[in-house]
Amino acid sequence: MARHAQPKAPRRGVLFKAGLGVTAAGAAVLGAAAAAQAAAPGASVPLPVDSLSRTDAGAAGAGALSGVTHGLGPLTRLQLDPLAKTGVDPLANGIGTQVADFKPVGTHLVTDHLTQGGAVADLPVAGPLTQRLLP
C-alpha cells in the first residue's frame, strides 16, 4: 500500500491569508496616519537650538558623578566570593612558610578577607579607597 501525503486542511490556509490581510490593512492605516501627522503644518514643535548649545560642564559632570556613586555604592557591600564560609571554597586552602625568626608568610594574608565573606569595602587597600570615593 502506497503512502500519500495528506492534503492540508483548507481552513488553516484561509485563516493564514486572513491574518496576513488584517496585518497589511493595519500597517496601511498606521502608515497613512504617520504620513498625515508629518504633513500637518505646525504639528511639530521645533527645539530651541540655542538652549542645546549651552551646556554647563560642571553640572553635567556633577550629575554623572552622582549617578555613578549611587549606582556603584551598593556594589561595594556585596560578598565577593560566592563560596565563602562553605566547605568547598577553593580560596580557603592556603600555604605558608617561615624562614628563621622572620614573621610567617602565607596566602591566607591575601585570601582571608574573601573567604570570610568580605566585600570590596572590607579589603585592606580597595576598601578605604571606595569609602572615600563613594558615600
Side-chain angles (χ1 to χ4, degrees), residues 71-98:
L72 293 179
L75 293 178
T76 62
R77 291 180 289 280
L78 288 177
Q79 179 177 323
L80 290 175
D81 185 12
L83 298 174
K85 299 180 184 176
T86 64
V88 295
D89 187 8
L91 295 176
N93 297 328
I95 59 170
T97 186
Q98 181 178 5

mmCIF file of all heavy atoms in Angstrom, residues 71-98:
data_model
loop_
_atom_site.group_PDB
_atom_site.id
_atom_site.type_symbol
_atom_site.label_atom_id
_atom_site.label_comp_id
_atom_site.label_asym_id
_atom_site.label_seq_id
_atom_site.Cartn_x
_atom_site.Cartn_y
_atom_site.Cartn_z
ATOM 1 N N GLY A 71 24.962 54.423 41.932
ATOM 2 C CA GLY A 71 24.839 53.121 41.287
ATOM 3 C C GLY A 71 25.866 52.124 41.780
ATOM 4 O O GLY A 71 25.586 50.935 41.902
ATOM 5 N N LEU A 72 27.081 52.575 42.074
ATOM 6 C CA LEU A 72 28.145 51.669 42.497
ATOM 7 C C LEU A 72 28.242 51.503 44.001
ATOM 8 O O LEU A 72 28.881 50.566 44.474
ATOM 9 C CB LEU A 72 29.494 52.161 41.961
ATOM 10 C CG LEU A 72 29.671 52.106 40.456
ATOM 11 C CD1 LEU A 72 31.042 52.641 40.076
ATOM 12 C CD2 LEU A 72 29.477 50.711 39.934
ATOM 13 N N GLY A 73 27.654 52.378 44.766
ATOM 14 C CA GLY A 73 27.727 52.298 46.220
ATOM 15 C C GLY A 73 27.290 50.956 46.786
ATOM 16 O O GLY A 73 28.017 50.333 47.556
ATOM 17 N N PRO A 74 26.113 50.453 46.422
ATOM 18 C CA PRO A 74 25.685 49.151 46.950
ATOM 19 C C PRO A 74 26.570 47.992 46.483
ATOM 20 O O PRO A 74 26.685 46.986 47.179
ATOM 21 C CB PRO A 74 24.268 48.981 46.407
ATOM 22 C CG PRO A 74 23.809 50.357 46.100
ATOM 23 C CD PRO A 74 25.033 51.129 45.717
ATOM 24 N N LEU A 75 27.202 48.126 45.340
ATOM 25 C CA LEU A 75 28.053 47.046 44.841
ATOM 26 C C LEU A 75 29.291 46.843 45.707
ATOM 27 O O LEU A 75 29.853 45.746 45.737
ATOM 28 C CB LEU A 75 28.482 47.325 43.403
ATOM 29 C CG LEU A 75 27.367 47.302 42.363
ATOM 30 C CD1 LEU A 75 27.927 47.633 40.996
ATOM 31 C CD2 LEU A 75 26.671 45.973 42.344
ATOM 32 N N THR A 76 29.731 47.864 46.418
ATOM 33 C CA THR A 76 30.920 47.726 47.264
ATOM 34 C C THR A 76 30.637 46.907 48.519
ATOM 35 O O THR A 76 31.562 46.511 49.205
ATOM 36 C CB THR A 76 31.463 49.100 47.673
ATOM 37 O OG1 THR A 76 30.476 49.783 48.448
ATOM 38 C CG2 THR A 76 31.852 49.921 46.459
ATOM 39 N N ARG A 77 29.354 46.672 48.821
ATOM 40 C CA ARG A 77 28.999 45.909 50.010
ATOM 41 C C ARG A 77 28.535 44.487 49.693
ATOM 42 O O ARG A 77 28.099 43.776 50.584
ATOM 43 C CB ARG A 77 27.931 46.669 50.786
ATOM 44 C CG ARG A 77 28.481 47.950 51.400
ATOM 45 C CD ARG A 77 27.450 48.722 52.173
ATOM 46 N NE ARG A 77 26.432 49.367 51.361
ATOM 47 C CZ ARG A 77 26.608 50.510 50.718
ATOM 48 N NH1 ARG A 77 27.754 51.133 50.785
ATOM 49 N NH2 ARG A 77 25.644 51.050 50.012
ATOM 50 N N LEU A 78 28.623 44.072 48.434
ATOM 51 C CA LEU A 78 28.257 42.710 48.076
ATOM 52 C C LEU A 78 29.385 41.735 48.398
ATOM 53 O O LEU A 78 30.559 42.070 48.263
ATOM 54 C CB LEU A 78 27.936 42.622 46.576
ATOM 55 C CG LEU A 78 26.637 43.251 46.117
ATOM 56 C CD1 LEU A 78 26.510 43.130 44.603
ATOM 57 C CD2 LEU A 78 25.455 42.594 46.783
ATOM 58 N N GLN A 79 29.042 40.525 48.771
ATOM 59 C CA GLN A 79 30.029 39.493 49.073
ATOM 60 C C GLN A 79 30.740 39.111 47.774
ATOM 61 O O GLN A 79 30.115 38.773 46.790
ATOM 62 C CB GLN A 79 29.326 38.283 49.676
ATOM 63 C CG GLN A 79 30.237 37.145 50.006
ATOM 64 C CD GLN A 79 29.485 36.005 50.663
ATOM 65 O OE1 GLN A 79 28.576 36.230 51.438
ATOM 66 N NE2 GLN A 79 29.875 34.802 50.355
ATOM 67 N N LEU A 80 32.073 39.180 47.767
ATOM 68 C CA LEU A 80 32.846 38.911 46.562
ATOM 69 C C LEU A 80 32.936 37.429 46.222
ATOM 70 O O LEU A 80 32.876 37.058 45.056
ATOM 71 C CB LEU A 80 34.258 39.479 46.702
ATOM 72 C CG LEU A 80 34.367 40.990 46.691
ATOM 73 C CD1 LEU A 80 35.795 41.416 46.966
ATOM 74 C CD2 LEU A 80 33.914 41.545 45.361
ATOM 75 N N ASP A 81 33.114 36.595 47.217
ATOM 76 C CA ASP A 81 33.304 35.166 46.983
ATOM 77 C C ASP A 81 31.990 34.446 47.270
ATOM 78 O O ASP A 81 31.563 34.343 48.415
ATOM 79 C CB ASP A 81 34.407 34.632 47.899
ATOM 80 C CG ASP A 81 34.747 33.182 47.646
ATOM 81 O OD1 ASP A 81 34.311 32.637 46.615
ATOM 82 O OD2 ASP A 81 35.458 32.591 48.469
ATOM 83 N N PRO A 82 31.323 33.930 46.230
ATOM 84 C CA PRO A 82 30.035 33.278 46.479
ATOM 85 C C PRO A 82 30.163 31.986 47.293
ATOM 86 O O PRO A 82 29.192 31.537 47.878
ATOM 87 C CB PRO A 82 29.499 32.987 45.082
ATOM 88 C CG PRO A 82 30.665 33.053 44.179
ATOM 89 C CD PRO A 82 31.664 33.959 44.816
ATOM 90 N N LEU A 83 31.351 31.401 47.327
ATOM 91 C CA LEU A 83 31.548 30.164 48.085
ATOM 92 C C LEU A 83 32.123 30.413 49.475
ATOM 93 O O LEU A 83 32.527 29.478 50.163
ATOM 94 C CB LEU A 83 32.489 29.234 47.301
ATOM 95 C CG LEU A 83 31.975 28.775 45.937
ATOM 96 C CD1 LEU A 83 33.049 27.996 45.218
ATOM 97 C CD2 LEU A 83 30.713 27.972 46.079
ATOM 98 N N ALA A 84 32.159 31.670 49.904
ATOM 99 C CA ALA A 84 32.727 31.995 51.216
ATOM 100 C C ALA A 84 31.941 31.308 52.324
ATOM 101 O O ALA A 84 30.726 31.133 52.247
ATOM 102 C CB ALA A 84 32.710 33.496 51.428
ATOM 103 N N LYS A 85 32.661 30.905 53.361
ATOM 104 C CA LYS A 85 32.087 30.254 54.538
ATOM 105 C C LYS A 85 31.424 28.926 54.199
ATOM 106 O O LYS A 85 30.460 28.523 54.837
ATOM 107 C CB LYS A 85 31.091 31.176 55.242
ATOM 108 C CG LYS A 85 31.699 32.468 55.743
ATOM 109 C CD LYS A 85 30.653 33.309 56.418
ATOM 110 C CE LYS A 85 31.249 34.641 56.831
ATOM 111 N NZ LYS A 85 30.247 35.518 57.399
ATOM 112 N N THR A 86 31.895 28.262 53.135
ATOM 113 C CA THR A 86 31.407 26.930 52.792
ATOM 114 C C THR A 86 32.587 25.966 52.812
ATOM 115 O O THR A 86 33.742 26.377 52.782
ATOM 116 C CB THR A 86 30.757 26.893 51.396
ATOM 117 O OG1 THR A 86 31.737 27.197 50.408
ATOM 118 C CG2 THR A 86 29.610 27.886 51.294
ATOM 119 N N GLY A 87 32.310 24.708 52.812
ATOM 120 C CA GLY A 87 33.369 23.716 52.828
ATOM 121 C C GLY A 87 34.023 23.487 51.482
ATOM 122 O O GLY A 87 35.024 22.788 51.377
ATOM 123 N N VAL A 88 33.480 24.070 50.416
ATOM 124 C CA VAL A 88 34.011 23.841 49.074
ATOM 125 C C VAL A 88 34.711 25.066 48.503
ATOM 126 O O VAL A 88 34.970 25.121 47.310
ATOM 127 C CB VAL A 88 32.885 23.388 48.120
ATOM 128 C CG1 VAL A 88 32.340 22.049 48.533
ATOM 129 C CG2 VAL A 88 31.779 24.431 48.054
ATOM 130 N N ASP A 89 35.022 26.023 49.337
ATOM 131 C CA ASP A 89 35.666 27.246 48.861
ATOM 132 C C ASP A 89 37.141 26.974 48.543
ATOM 133 O O ASP A 89 37.923 26.677 49.441
ATOM 134 C CB ASP A 89 35.549 28.342 49.921
ATOM 135 C CG ASP A 89 36.036 29.686 49.433
ATOM 136 O OD1 ASP A 89 36.318 29.813 48.228
ATOM 137 O OD2 ASP A 89 36.137 30.603 50.263
ATOM 138 N N PRO A 90 37.549 27.106 47.275
ATOM 139 C CA PRO A 90 38.953 26.840 46.943
ATOM 140 C C PRO A 90 39.907 27.902 47.486
ATOM 141 O O PRO A 90 41.098 27.643 47.644
ATOM 142 C CB PRO A 90 38.971 26.815 45.417
ATOM 143 C CG PRO A 90 37.773 27.572 44.998
ATOM 144 C CD PRO A 90 36.761 27.399 46.083
ATOM 145 N N LEU A 91 39.413 29.086 47.789
ATOM 146 C CA LEU A 91 40.278 30.126 48.331
ATOM 147 C C LEU A 91 40.615 29.885 49.802
ATOM 148 O O LEU A 91 41.532 30.505 50.333
ATOM 149 C CB LEU A 91 39.624 31.502 48.163
ATOM 150 C CG LEU A 91 39.423 31.974 46.732
ATOM 151 C CD1 LEU A 91 38.686 33.298 46.717
ATOM 152 C CD2 LEU A 91 40.742 32.095 46.018
ATOM 153 N N ALA A 92 39.865 29.012 50.451
ATOM 154 C CA ALA A 92 40.139 28.724 51.860
ATOM 155 C C ALA A 92 41.406 27.884 52.016
ATOM 156 O O ALA A 92 41.966 27.821 53.100
ATOM 157 C CB ALA A 92 38.953 28.005 52.487
ATOM 158 N N ASN A 93 41.843 27.236 50.961
ATOM 159 C CA ASN A 93 43.094 26.476 51.001
ATOM 160 C C ASN A 93 44.245 27.458 50.891
ATOM 161 O O ASN A 93 44.181 28.434 50.155
ATOM 162 C CB ASN A 93 43.168 25.479 49.852
ATOM 163 C CG ASN A 93 42.075 24.448 49.935
ATOM 164 O OD1 ASN A 93 41.660 24.093 51.023
ATOM 165 N ND2 ASN A 93 41.612 23.983 48.794
ATOM 166 N N GLY A 94 45.289 27.211 51.604
ATOM 167 C CA GLY A 94 46.435 28.113 51.527
ATOM 168 C C GLY A 94 47.704 27.425 51.968
ATOM 169 O O GLY A 94 47.683 26.340 52.539
ATOM 170 N N ILE A 95 48.784 28.093 51.691
ATOM 171 C CA ILE A 95 50.085 27.585 52.123
ATOM 172 C C ILE A 95 50.832 28.715 52.810
ATOM 173 O O ILE A 95 50.544 29.890 52.585
ATOM 174 C CB ILE A 95 50.911 27.038 50.943
ATOM 175 C CG1 ILE A 95 51.151 28.120 49.903
ATOM 176 C CG2 ILE A 95 50.236 25.846 50.307
ATOM 177 C CD1 ILE A 95 52.148 27.713 48.841
ATOM 178 N N GLY A 96 51.774 28.351 53.628
ATOM 179 C CA GLY A 96 52.557 29.350 54.322
ATOM 180 C C GLY A 96 53.963 28.840 54.595
ATOM 181 O O GLY A 96 54.238 27.644 54.505
ATOM 182 N N THR A 97 54.820 29.758 54.898
ATOM 183 C CA THR A 97 56.203 29.386 55.205
ATOM 184 C C THR A 97 56.779 30.363 56.213
ATOM 185 O O THR A 97 56.289 31.481 56.370
ATOM 186 C CB THR A 97 57.063 29.354 53.922
ATOM 187 O OG1 THR A 97 58.354 28.861 54.245
ATOM 188 C CG2 THR A 97 57.192 30.726 53.317
ATOM 189 N N GLN A 98 57.819 29.917 56.877
ATOM 190 C CA GLN A 98 58.524 30.777 57.820
ATOM 191 C C GLN A 98 60.015 30.479 57.671
ATOM 192 O O GLN A 98 60.440 29.334 57.680
ATOM 193 C CB GLN A 98 58.082 30.509 59.249
ATOM 194 C CG GLN A 98 58.775 31.415 60.244
ATOM 195 C CD GLN A 98 58.285 31.184 61.661
ATOM 196 O OE1 GLN A 98 57.486 30.290 61.926
ATOM 197 N NE2 GLN A 98 58.777 31.999 62.576
#
